[in-house]
Amino acid sequence: MLLLLQLTILSLLLLTLGFIGVSLWIWLIYGAIVLFTLQSPIWLWSLYAAIGLVLAIPQIRRQVLTKPIMKVIRVPKISDTERAAINAGTVWVEGEFFSGVPDFERMNQAAYPEVTPELQTFLDEQVEQVCRMATDWEIQRHKDLPIEVWQYLKQERFFGMMIPVEYGGLGFSNFAYSTVMAKLASRSFIHTATVGVTNSLGPAKLLLNYGTSEQKEYYLSRLASGEEIPCFALTEPTAGSDAASITAKGIVFRGDDGKLMVRLNFRKRYITLGAIATLIGLAFKLYDPDNLLGKGEDVGITCILIPANTEGMILGKRHDPMGVPFYNSPVEGQDVVVSVDQIIGGVEQAGQGWKMLMQALAAGRGISFPASCTGVAKLVARVTGAYAKVRQQFGSSIGRFEGIEEPLARIGGLTYVLDAARIYTVGAVDAGEKPAVVSAIAKYQFTETTRKLVNDGMDILGGSGICRGPRNLLANFYTAMPIPITVEGSNILTRTLMIFGQGVMRCHPYLYAEVMAIETGDAIAFDQALWKHIGSIFRNTFRTLLLSLSRGYLASVPGNKSTKRYYQKLAWSSAMFAFLTDFLLIRFGGALKRQEKLTGRLADWLSWMYLSIATLRRFGAEGYKAEDLIFVQWAMNYSFAQMQQALEGILVNLPIPSIAKSILLSLVRINPLGTLPTDTQGSYVAQALQTTGEEREHLTSGIYLPKHPDEALGRLEQALKLCEQAEAVMSRVKQAIRAGQLPQGKVETSIEAALKTEVITKAEADLLRAAESARFDAIQVDAFTLQEYQGNGLQVPQFSTILAQKNVT
């Protein structure tokens, strides 16, 4: 009996020490306690002492264990371009999930910016004015922004939002820029495509980070004012996802006047603003056969600035990306000669172009497209909520049908998530982080999620969604969504390679240090990383076991009563994620990055953990508003269901015996991380989208809302308000019809009878007529004469021709 009690105590102590993760010395003491309790013989004590000495004394451990391990491990050589991508940016909160023991306090202390009075003024005045100047239909029909919009964008420094005030820009933070982009996107994709490239991954950003003082002084003020229209040329016919394989070539030579020059030959494509750019940023491979720069013959990938009027430049053609009329173009150069002084950052930065681009993308992917997608998602939420309420079938608003509630719930719940992650991410960038993995997560998840939401919106609108015209609010966004999916790293590549493939190397607490130590033969560094790694594996094994058995309840986490449970499940999820990551690293080694189906599922898992913490951060930062709780509950349940799906996909394909696989799958299905939101939760979210008030306003805040009923959204909003005001009166008329007080028929045909029988008052009858008229008007679709249709949008107006020729000077 005493022995059973002792074994129980030792087992509980083992589980406790393993769960919290203790030092090697504590484990050695624990082992001694076990030996003493079991009254072990002296030979076993001697063996244990020898093992303890080997493990505890670093000098002995390195000779006996670490160096032999180093010799048998084979890691693939990391290329310079891959190393630059891995080292780009910083590790932010995503690293917490790889640890298996996420520090939620740290995550919740991350900055969560708010709209300042100055930013609000810009949104209410300048951004509002830009949106007011042209509808999306007008822009699409003319295949360009109107000339007056271009001029206003220049005048109000929209092209210099991120350029400091001292250079003539607006000096906006990333959050301010993101907030402006979200509102512009809710009006037209063309606005964001045009404004985005001038502020994000273009010459201005590279000049700010790497340019010489002379380059900054000359170019930044011209870029801020729109005097220069920039583009950046990277992609080539044979260098898309593998951008490091570019063939654009520049050769250094000495000109007749003795100055060092570069002769460039290149062929680029998919370049936004290329056809009208006056300043081209170019990524190319620089060669210096005479070593005139003192950097050898093969200098490497370099970024340079080329004035568009330089001899040999070939511009002016346009691609037609899905019929979306933003400027996207091929850019070519034949024997283009510019001074080496045009290299961004000067000669010192020659050969550093890939590093520059990776550093810029490390943060940039998390700003522009996430902002644009959030604006679109909010617009979809606003439009579909109103339409579902206004549109009737079978005598009832279609938004009451469960088949419509389901996509409405996705639209509402995921829009809350996207705005949370947008603010959380740009807040980190403004705080100095360059979170490469989080930015990749943001780019991938925002674009994919918004594509789904637009699809849901189109399904809800039905025939109204597929008939183009000024009344149609979603069709052009539906057409445009493949564009953000494709650019800045295609989503297939981003998911399967960047988020986890590069993320595990960068964000794992020990992996990169181990790989670098093996490459350099540094046994001391490898020893330090390896044994900490082994300790981490040991800890996460125990944490996975105990948190799974307790469904996360053993985790010590922050949060109030409405969110604590979600933090516990996130701790549980992180432990399993870290455990499986290490298992797969041990199983596949460096070949894991080629197991793209597995890494894609791990990327999904990591992504939804990040989106979950962003959701919780938003809820807390905004004061745990009771009216937002249903959105949080729906979002968190949805997120855990996605993690569960990723986990099951990984387990199904684990390289382990079938019996073990079946047992593991059964266990995780019996004891899942989460399931999809309930129908009741979905109904609450769906009805919130259809009801005017604080919840709907808060969810869709920051988008462009035209007030005039001649505008499509203004018309829809007016119909929603009138229908809502008339709802009680309409219900009374329907009740009177059912009771036989009024003849059978539709409400709109019973108004006069209801008025005569005093079921309703004259004021109520007027309200019903106004509501029915607004409802009928709101659900109409556009129709054109044959002549109008044949000529509609096919002619490029004169101002586009002028713009292409004169660059709107």
Side-chain angles (χ1 to χ4, degrees):
M1 188 68 181
L2 178 60
L3 179 61
L4 179 61
L5 177 61
Q6 289 173 330
L7 290 175
T8 301
I9 293 172
L10 289 173
S11 298
L12 290 174
L13 183 58
L14 172 68
L15 292 173
T16 302
L17 295 177
F19 183 80
I20 63 177
V22 296
S23 68
L24 175 61
W25 285 104
I26 299 296
W27 281 118
L28 290 174
I29 293 170
Y30 172 80
I33 293 172
V34 172
L35 291 178
F36 178 79
T37 302
L38 298 179
Q39 299 179 356
S40 301
I42 190 66
W43 69 265
L44 192 56
W45 277 98
S46 301
L47 177 62
Y48 181 73
I51 293 173
L53 285 173
V54 170
L55 292 174
I57 301 176
Q59 293 83 352
I60 299 176
R61 184 177 66 222
R62 284 197 295 271
Q63 296 300 323
V64 176
L65 296 174
T66 305
K67 287 185 177 180
I69 292 173
M70 280 185 74
K71 291 179 180 178
V72 299
I73 294 178
R74 295 289 179 268
V75 296
K77 182 172 177 58
I78 301 175
S79 67
D80 291 340
T81 52
E82 187 178 4
R83 193 185 309 277
I86 292 171
N87 288 329
T90 59
V91 177
W92 185 45
V93 297
E94 67 272 40
E96 299 289 347
F97 294 120
F98 280 93
S99 74
V101 191
D103 184 349
F104 295 119
E105 295 290 351
R106 177 202 172 195
M107 293 175 164
N108 285 332
Q109 288 170 0
Y112 197 83
E114 297 179 349
V115 174
T116 63
E118 294 78 12
L119 174 57
Q120 191 63 59
T121 298
F122 189 80
L123 292 167
D124 293 342
E125 295 179 4
Q126 285 88 342
V127 182
E128 187 81 7
Q129 176 62 17
V130 167
C131 293
R132 193 184 297 122
M133 291 173 76
T135 67
D136 187 47
W137 170 250
E138 291 168 338
I139 295 168
Q140 295 279 343
R141 182 166 58 90
H142 293 302
K143 296 189 179 297
D144 198 358
L145 294 172
I147 188 72
E148 55 270 22
V149 173
W150 277 98
Q151 291 170 338
Y152 188 79
L153 290 171
K154 289 183 173 187
Q155 172 190 313
E156 298 301 328
R157 298 295 197 264
F158 276 83
F159 297 148
M161 281 190 282
M162 302 295 290
I163 294 175
V165 174
E166 57 264 34
Y167 295 111
L170 296 178
F172 277 2
S173 65
N174 289 282
F175 169 72
Y177 165 69
S178 168
T179 306
V180 170
M181 289 287 282
K183 184 166 184 174
L184 290 174
S186 69
R187 183 54 154 173
S188 175
F189 181 86
I190 318 305
H191 285 314
T192 55
T194 303
V195 173
V197 74
T198 59
N199 284 280
S200 57
L201 300 177
K205 181 73 73 175
L206 294 174
L207 285 169
L208 282 169
N209 291 334
Y210 305 103
T212 64
S213 56
E214 293 82 4
Q215 290 171 341
K216 291 178 181 179
E217 287 292 335
Y218 181 76
Y219 281 116
L220 288 178
S221 61
R222 296 163 66 89
L223 289 166
S225 67
E227 183 179 352
E228 297 279 8
I229 299 294
C231 71
F232 193 86
L234 174 61
T235 307
E236 299 178 0
T238 57
S241 297
D242 183 15
S245 66
I246 58 177
T247 59
K249 183 177 181 180
I251 298 177
V252 179
F253 69 98
R254 193 178 296 279
D256 294 337
D257 56 1
K259 293 182 179 180
L260 295 182
M261 310 295 286
V262 182
R263 179 176 287 105
L264 297 151
N265 285 278
F266 54 90
R267 185 180 180 187
K268 303 286 186 175
R269 65 180 183 182
Y270 308 151
I271 313 305
T272 300
L273 298 184
I276 62 167
T278 63
L279 183 67
I280 291 87
L282 178 76
F284 69 102
K285 289 184 176 178
L286 179 62
Y287 297 92
D288 185 5
D290 299 321
N291 197 24
L292 299 172
L293 303 181
K295 295 192 170 194
E297 181 177 345
D298 188 352
V299 180
I301 295 175
T302 301
C303 296
I304 200 165
L305 297 174
I306 308 171
N309 58 5
T310 304
E311 186 177 353
M313 290 296 301
I314 304 172
L315 303 171
K317 290 186 178 180
R318 293 180 67 171
H319 299 305
D320 184 11
M322 299 296 293
V324 181
F326 68 101
Y327 281 97
N328 190 263
S329 321
V331 174
E332 297 182 29
Q334 295 178 3
D335 292 327
V336 176
V337 175
V338 294
S339 168
V340 295
D341 293 336
Q342 292 294 107
I343 294 173
I344 297 178
V347 172
E348 288 186 7
Q349 292 294 334
Q352 299 300 308
W354 188 244
K355 178 182 176 181
M356 291 180 184
L357 295 171
M358 290 301 98
Q359 292 285 357
L361 283 167
R365 283 193 184 99
I367 302 172
S368 291
F369 277 133
S372 301
C373 288
T374 302
V376 173
K378 289 183 176 184
L379 176 68
V380 173
R382 194 91 185 189
V383 169
T384 54
Y387 187 84
K389 183 75 169 184
V390 169
R391 179 70 163 135
Q392 289 190 344
Q393 290 287 274
F394 309 107
S396 179
S397 294
I398 63 171
R400 293 185 178 276
F401 302 151
E402 291 190 1
I404 299 295
E405 280 190 341
E406 191 172 7
L408 275 177
R410 282 195 296 269
I411 291 168
L414 291 173
T415 296
Y416 185 91
V417 173
L418 293 182
D419 207 21
R422 174 187 73 87
I423 299 172
Y424 194 47
T425 304
V426 295
V429 177
D430 279 332
E433 298 286 350
K434 293 183 178 180
V437 175
V438 159
S439 291
I441 289 171
K443 192 272 174 181
Y444 170 70
Q445 287 292 346
F446 274 74
T447 54
E448 287 292 345
T449 300
T450 304
R451 171 160 64 176
K452 293 173 184 175
L453 299 189
V454 172
N455 285 346
D456 279 336
M458 292 289 287
D459 288 347
I460 291 168
L461 295 184
S464 295
I466 62 174
C467 292
R468 289 185 183 273
R471 288 174 174 267
N472 192 317
L473 289 162
L474 297 188
N476 291 333
F477 290 105
Y478 177 82
T479 304
M481 281 316 299
I483 297 169
I485 294 287
T486 302
V487 302
E488 287 188 19
S490 70
N491 277 8
I492 291 176
L493 167 78
T494 302
R495 174 177 178 262
T496 58
L497 179 61
M498 295 177 60
I499 294 176
F500 185 85
Q502 292 180 356
V504 67
M505 184 68 76
R506 188 72 176 94
C507 300
H508 191 285
Y510 311 109
L511 182 60
Y512 190 56
E514 290 168 334
V515 171
M516 293 306 297
I518 291 173
E519 272 197 8
T520 58
D522 189 338
I524 295 176
F526 182 73
D527 180 82
Q528 293 172 343
L530 173 66
W531 295 100
K532 287 180 180 178
H533 192 170
I534 291 173
S536 174
I537 294 173
F538 203 58
R539 178 194 60 198
N540 284 325
T541 302
F542 280 95
R543 286 181 62 82
T544 297
L545 173 64
L546 293 176
L547 289 175
S548 295
L549 289 173
S550 70
R551 290 194 52 76
Y553 278 101
L554 284 178
S556 177
V557 296
N560 67 4
K561 63 180 180 180
S562 62
T563 59
K564 186 174 183 177
R565 183 69 190 121
Y566 299 129
Y567 283 109
Q568 289 174 331
K569 293 179 74 173
L570 267 179
W572 173 23
S573 176
S574 174
M576 287 199 294
F577 175 80
F579 173 78
L580 276 173
T581 293
D582 280 322
F583 173 82
L584 292 170
L585 285 170
I586 293 169
R587 170 61 180 82
F588 290 105
L592 178 58
K593 67 180 181 181
R594 293 192 291 274
Q595 305 295 316
E596 293 182 358
K597 295 172 186 175
L598 284 174
T599 61
R601 297 183 184 104
L602 287 161
D604 293 340
W605 192 351
L606 177 62
S607 296
W608 284 103
M609 285 194 287
Y610 176 70
L611 294 175
S612 294
I613 195 64
T615 300
L616 293 173
R617 178 71 180 102
R618 174 184 182 178
F619 187 52
E622 293 180 349
Y624 300 101
K625 294 180 180 179
E627 59 269 24
D628 286 348
L629 181 57
I630 188 61
F631 290 95
V632 174
Q633 291 171 338
W634 189 98
M636 294 305 295
N637 285 348
Y638 186 89
S639 297
F640 283 116
Q642 306 314 303
M643 297 178 213
Q644 175 72 17
Q645 181 178 341
L647 170 60
E648 290 186 21
I650 293 166
L651 294 180
V652 165
N653 294 281
L654 277 182
I656 58 176
S658 297
I659 294 177
K661 191 183 300 183
S662 298
I663 292 172
L664 284 175
L665 273 170
S666 298
L667 290 174
V668 301
R669 286 169 177 165
I670 293 169
N671 186 35
L673 267 173
T675 56
L676 288 169
T678 65
D679 291 343
T680 300
Q681 289 172 333
S683 292
Y684 276 117
V685 173
Q687 292 307 315
L689 262 61
Q690 301 175 64
T691 307
T692 61
E694 187 175 347
E695 287 176 313
R696 187 168 182 265
E697 293 300 321
H698 182 53
L699 181 72
T700 61
S701 64
I703 65 172
Y704 177 66
L705 293 173
K707 302 293 191 295
H708 201 286
D710 284 346
E711 281 245 27
L713 185 54
R715 182 185 299 115
L716 195 54
E717 288 288 306
Q718 183 186 49
L720 172 64
K721 291 175 184 176
L722 286 171
C723 289
E724 199 171 58
Q725 291 169 13
E727 197 165 24
V729 181
M730 191 176 295
S731 178
R732 205 158 68 242
V733 173
K734 288 181 178 179
Q735 193 173 19
I737 293 172
R738 287 194 295 269
Q741 291 178 261
L742 297 173
Q744 291 293 322
K746 294 183 178 180
V747 173
E748 54 267 30
T749 62
S750 304
I751 295 175
E752 293 303 325
L755 181 59
K756 286 180 181 179
T757 56
E758 297 185 346
V759 172
I760 59 175
T761 67
K762 183 179 183 305
E764 290 173 332
D766 290 341
L767 176 60
L768 280 180
R769 291 189 191 99
E772 289 305 309
S773 176
R775 181 199 305 277
F776 186 75
D777 189 22
I779 65 172
Q780 299 308 303
V781 298
D782 297 287
F784 307 96
T785 67
L786 182 60
Q787 184 179 6
E788 287 172 335
Y789 184 74
Q790 288 177 334
N792 189 28
L794 300 181
Q795 299 296 320
V796 178
Q798 184 64 29
F799 62 74
S800 291
T801 306
I802 296 171
L803 179 61
Q805 292 173 348
K806 298 186 177 181
N807 301 303
V808 199
T809 56

